[in-house]
Amino acid sequence: MSELPTDHDWMARAIQLAARGLYTTEPNPRVGCVLVHAGELVGEGWHLRAGEGHAEVNALRQAGPRARGATAYVTLEPCSHFGKTPPCADALINAGVSRVVAAMQDPNPLVAGQGLARLHAAGIEVSCGVLEAEARQLNPGFIKRMQQGLPWVRLKLAMSLDGRTAMASGESQWITGAEARADVQRLRARSGAVVSGADSVLLDDSALTVRAAELGLEPELAQAAAQRQPLRVLIDGRLRVPLSQRLFREPGAVLVVCSDTAGREADYQAHQAELLALPGSHGRVDLAQLLAELARRGCNEVLIESGAALAGAFWQAGLVDELIVYMAPRLLGSRARPLLELPFDSMAEAMDVRITDLRAVGNDWRITARPLPVGTD
Ligand SMILES: [Zn+2]
């Protein structure tokens, strides 16, 4: 590089570091930090998992005495309160850092700006907003949970080129290739919870687990991701799924949500599963309440992997933030099942989405889309 790196360059590095925590930091945010002294990189750090060092502390440890007079680039405003670890704002002050550049403020409206104010009060030059859009993309779920008490919800679906998912009989199999399946594994791994419904679990006997070997990540990250495992949530309104299914045999926490527990809590507990009643209307489970409950338990990102009926219910209730559709180069024919069960009768009911990303994943295509708020063009 002939020119000196800019604030943007260093922040881009900090964002790269933060992304190393993509699969492991839940319920905490992914954060990266870079320390630069007289134009030279002296320390790097990122947050790996809850209960362990924050990004700033890890970077300060690497820099040692060279942190004095350095600039700290942090992807999120340094914390100013005692959590599981002491506040990073104090650690930066004590290390003698002279300038702090943050990408964004703490999304929690109750603490936003306090970390930066604390640094400023200690005589440190402070600025905020460098690569903010990129930094926000690291933590859509953490931001939404802090601001709305709800997780970021992704609805994942797989379809043929003609928009079908399974035969009318229900007969189905993976219609996408190995690369797309690894991509789904990574979506699971970054989520706090994976949600499925009784119909799909009965049909596929899926365990909804994260498997290190299938993630396609470097071994160290894959191991850490598989060690964490998202909470597996089964929506089973009438408790139809037997406890002999793989979902209950694989290790890890399972939450079964029904409309009436019918006094069966102990049966489920014996299989390391928790039974929770969240009755909604028409004997169905209250999906909005479920999401609020998952946020309360610290889930930032939630992945829904279900059949067309439950997927349609989440979508129609306006609870989906992101639609992720894998499209396989295959035709399943006109008698096969549709992607979403949305029983529309007129064009007036049609729903528009905004496609935000489209890319090849192996032989398949991945389409990412967001719902458009009602009344927008
Ligand atoms: Zn911190």
Side-chain angles (χ1 to χ4, degrees):
M1 233 181 314
S2 57
E3 284 175 39
L4 283 177
T6 62
D7 281 356
H8 277 78
D9 296 327
W10 292 120
M11 190 61 82
R13 177 63 188 154
I15 287 173
Q16 270 181 3
L17 294 170
R20 295 187 65 82
L22 203 57
Y23 306 103
T24 46
T25 64
E26 283 252 348
N28 288 349
R30 296 115 188 176
V31 185
C33 176
V34 171
L35 288 166
V36 179
H37 193 276
E40 193 191 330
L41 177 74
V42 294
E44 293 188 324
W46 64 91
H47 184 47
L48 181 63
R49 58 169 80 84
E52 294 184 7
H54 287 189
E56 299 92 320
V57 171
N58 293 338
L60 287 170
R61 191 178 300 134
Q62 201 182 82
R66 290 185 297 173
R68 189 156 297 278
T71 296
Y73 295 89
V74 202
T75 59
L76 183 67
E77 174 182 2
C79 58
S80 57
H81 57 277
F82 276 87
K84 285 180 184 163
T85 55
C88 292
D90 292 12
L92 291 164
I93 293 166
N94 295 337
V97 164
S98 63
R99 181 172 172 241
V100 172
V101 180
M104 61 177 287
Q105 282 201 349
D106 191 314
N108 184 341
L110 298 175
V111 295
Q114 285 177 21
L116 295 173
R118 199 173 175 113
L119 294 164
H120 181 72
I124 293 173
E125 187 191 334
V126 167
S127 58
C128 187
V130 174
L131 293 186
E132 176 162 357
E134 289 80 356
R136 295 182 76 86
Q137 277 179 21
L138 286 167
N139 294 302
F142 181 75
I143 294 170
K144 191 178 171 196
R145 181 165 70 87
M146 288 298 127
Q147 296 182 338
Q148 300 177 41
L150 286 171
W152 181 264
V153 178
R154 294 190 180 91
L155 172 59
K156 170 246 135 184
L157 299 159
M159 68 177 193
S160 58
L161 182 61
D162 52 348
R164 307 286 169 155
T165 58
M167 291 298 126
S169 64
E171 181 195 349
S172 75
Q173 59 177 86
W174 283 103
I175 56 173
T176 49
E179 288 90 343
R181 292 205 291 278
D183 204 53
V184 172
Q185 277 282 314
R186 290 190 291 273
L187 281 181
R188 277 184 192 174
R190 63 176 294 166
S191 302
V194 178
V195 178
S196 194
D199 287 332
S200 34
V201 168
L202 284 172
L203 202 63
D204 307 331
D205 199 13
S206 46
L208 303 176
T209 46
V210 170
R211 294 175 290 273
E214 292 172 38
L215 284 165
L217 297 173
E218 55 186 275
E220 196 187 328
L221 288 183
Q223 286 303 335
Q227 237 170 39
R228 189 189 64 86
Q229 292 293 337
L231 172 67
R232 293 170 295 153
V233 180
L234 168 66
I235 299 180
D236 188 6
R238 286 169 288 145
L239 300 179
R240 288 181 295 140
V241 177
L243 291 162
S244 54
Q245 296 281 124
R246 260 182 77 213
L247 181 73
F248 298 105
R249 298 201 311 268
E250 300 273 329
V254 176
L255 174 67
V256 180
V257 188
C258 58
S259 43
D260 180 1
T261 63
R264 294 194 54 202
E265 286 89 343
D267 294 352
Y268 283 80
Q269 230 165 47
H271 289 79
Q272 276 76 51
E274 180 190 348
L275 194 54
L276 177 71
L278 291 175
S281 54
H282 310 294
R284 296 205 188 97
V285 164
D286 189 325
L287 301 178
Q289 253 199 67
L290 168 61
L291 294 176
E293 171 64 20
L294 293 178
R296 203 183 58 72
R297 294 177 183 221
C299 295
N300 294 329
E301 298 178 20
V302 167
L303 180 68
I304 302 168
E305 294 189 56
S306 72
L310 186 57
F314 269 108
W315 182 266
Q316 277 201 300
L319 299 172
V320 175
D321 294 297
E322 215 166 45
L323 186 62
I324 297 179
V325 179
Y326 296 89
M327 187 174 75
R330 180 181 278 194
L331 299 172
L332 289 184
S334 56
R335 285 202 284 275
R337 291 184 177 184
L339 189 63
L340 291 165
E341 218 161 272
L342 296 171
F344 296 159
D345 294 311
S346 71
M347 277 305 286
E349 292 173 283
M351 297 171 96
D352 292 326
V353 298
R354 182 168 56 91
I355 292 178
T356 55
D357 189 75
L358 172 65
R359 66 183 66 202
V361 181
N363 288 326
D364 304 305
W365 288 87
R366 187 185 73 193
I367 303 160
T368 306
R370 303 227 178 131
L372 282 182
V374 179
T376 47
D377 275 303

